[in-house]
Amino acid sequence: MPKATISDVASAAGVSRKTVSRVLNNEAGVKPETQQRVIAAMEQLGYAPNMSARRLRSQQSYQVGLLFRDFPGNFYSSMMISGAIKACDELGYDLLIRPLKIENENWANVVQYMLQRSNPDGLIVVPPLCDDDKVLIPILASETPMVKVAAINPGGSENIHCDELSAARNAVQHLISLGHTRIGIINCLKSHAAGEWRQQGYQQALAQAGIFVEPELQQYHVYQPDIMEQSARRLLGLAEPPTAIFATSDTTAALLYRVASQLQFRIPYDLSIVGFDDEPLSSNLWPPLTTVRQPVPALGKAAVSLLVKRLIQGRSDYQPEQLSCELIIRHSTGPVVR
């Protein structure tokens, strides 16, 4: 059976060849209903554009790169990639992923080599790489369009993120509504924008409730499991331990579960815990973890859409959707009983 042509698609969709071409190249000015009709026709006919010819005509690679830090259990980046792939499929791009390993300090060389070899039309840079000069300098030098995700310092680049400050404030307000006034925090996201936003949300919630923010209840440091465990033991070993703890990641919350169990704290009767991110492990802990669900796949999709539509295609009027987080209340939080 012969392959479908652009003329076949145009005939099936009831449009001109030029309109099909405009849809394929993601050009502005095509009505959404017309675009959907063309896409449906392409799917029905099994039409696949000649990408090599398309790249030669446009002098674009039709590739979007995504840079993330590689470490075991990186749920955030895997969900970001999932959303980015969905956007790339819709926009006619391929996603080029580049994990940067923690143990490799030559990130600048890796990024520069990727840019020279693959020549992506633009890049998505996931935290904490979006604030790392070893990654940013070669990108800026190449003048490759870039969207940062949740950067501390956008530095003139497009930056997209969820409202994590309000989400953290809501999480702590939930604890306050249950009668908790002695609320600790274990924040392992120092040097991340997310760490700053979640810390501020914690502090704002306490301040708005008229609760003094006690320094001894705040543990703020970089992500290292041994330090996280020390922080948990330090808080629960206080003469007057907190009745609730806000952990700024679900991984931290899971570690806190283990330490609390070892020290004979019953969740949520002796200790309420709130996490952040809603990783798969959160619903499998016992009791299931109250946490903040961050729409990471939607964030990845929005980042790619912003990159392609505004920076690559030049649609200055394109506005990305505003993304918010959701507090998921499960059984790790309860009223004060001691």
Side-chain angles (χ1 to χ4, degrees):
M1 183 176 181
K3 292 183 178 180
T5 66
I6 193 170
S7 297
D8 295 330
V9 174
S11 176
V15 298
S16 67
R17 285 168 50 101
K18 184 176 181 181
T19 297
V20 176
S21 179
R22 291 173 68 188
V23 171
L24 287 170
N25 291 302
N26 299 298
E27 295 178 15
V30 180
K31 294 180 179 179
E33 56 269 25
T34 301
Q35 184 181 41
Q36 290 302 316
R37 201 161 67 244
V38 171
I39 292 173
M42 288 192 290
E43 291 177 348
Q44 180 182 358
L45 296 171
Y47 174 75
N50 187 322
M51 291 303 296
S52 297
R54 186 182 177 198
R55 287 164 180 157
L56 284 172
R57 286 196 304 269
S58 64
Q59 295 186 327
Q60 292 182 358
S61 69
Y62 288 93
Q63 291 187 120
V64 168
L66 188 147
L67 304 176
F68 65 97
R69 194 171 69 175
D70 187 25
F71 60 89
N74 190 347
F75 168 80
Y76 181 89
S77 293
S78 67
M79 292 296 97
M80 186 75 62
I81 290 168
S82 174
I85 289 173
K86 186 172 183 180
C88 283
D89 286 346
E90 293 177 359
L91 295 168
Y93 281 73
D94 291 323
L95 184 68
L96 174 67
I97 62 171
R98 168 51 66 181
L100 299 181
K101 296 186 179 299
I102 294 176
E103 62 272 16
N104 184 357
E105 297 181 357
N106 297 318
W107 286 354
N109 293 338
V110 173
V111 173
Q112 189 172 30
Y113 179 66
M114 184 201 73
L115 291 170
Q116 293 172 347
R117 180 184 60 186
S118 302
N119 190 32
D121 295 332
L123 292 172
I124 306 296
V125 189
V126 176
L129 302 182
C130 54
D131 291 299
D132 194 307
D133 286 341
K134 295 192 296 295
V135 173
L136 298 178
I137 287 174
I139 298 173
L140 294 171
S142 71
E143 299 184 348
T144 302
M146 169 175 55
V147 169
K148 298 178 179 179
V149 178
I152 295 175
N153 178 21
S157 300
E158 293 283 1
N159 184 43
I160 191 165
H161 63 87
C162 300
D163 187 0
E164 297 183 46
L165 191 155
S166 295
R169 185 173 61 235
N170 292 341
V172 177
Q173 286 173 340
H174 167 63
L175 294 171
I176 294 170
S177 72
L178 293 171
H180 296 278
T181 57
R182 191 164 173 77
I183 303 170
I185 181 173
I186 301 179
N187 188 347
C188 62
L189 299 174
K190 196 169 187 177
S191 79
H192 291 232
E196 292 191 8
W197 293 326
R198 297 174 196 184
Q199 187 82 16
Q200 290 171 18
Y202 162 82
Q203 294 172 340
Q204 286 184 11
L206 294 181
Q208 289 173 4
I211 301 171
F212 176 68
V213 182
E214 299 186 52
E216 68 174 359
L217 295 181
Q218 300 182 66
Q219 301 292 320
Y220 191 20
H221 48 71
V222 297
Y223 182 93
Q224 287 186 13
D226 56 337
I227 297 178
M228 290 157 57
E229 180 167 350
Q230 291 170 18
S231 295
R233 294 187 181 280
R234 190 175 296 115
L235 285 179
L236 297 181
L238 291 171
E240 186 183 353
T243 61
I245 295 177
F246 172 44
T248 60
S249 74
D250 290 344
T251 302
T252 305
L255 184 146
L256 183 56
Y257 267 57
R258 175 167 61 82
V259 173
S261 177
Q262 291 172 350
L263 298 178
Q264 305 298 309
F265 282 82
R266 299 168 303 157
I267 302 170
Y269 309 106
D270 303 317
L271 178 69
S272 286
I273 299 176
V274 175
F276 205 109
D277 286 331
D278 196 30
E279 296 190 18
L281 66 85
S282 63
S283 58
N284 292 323
L285 292 169
W286 187 258
L289 177 66
T290 294
T291 188
V292 174
R293 177 177 295 161
Q294 185 175 191
V296 183
L299 192 59
K301 184 178 179 182
V304 169
S305 298
L306 177 60
L307 176 68
V308 171
K309 294 181 179 180
R310 183 180 293 177
L311 300 185
I312 297 175
Q313 297 177 353
R315 303 187 200 175
S316 58
D317 61 339
Y318 173 73
Q319 294 296 327
E321 62 177 310
Q322 298 297 311
L323 301 174
S324 58
C325 303
E326 178 186 4
L327 179 63
I328 307 298
I329 299 175
R330 297 192 178 106
H331 301 294
S332 66
T333 52
V336 179
V337 295
R338 64 177 171 90

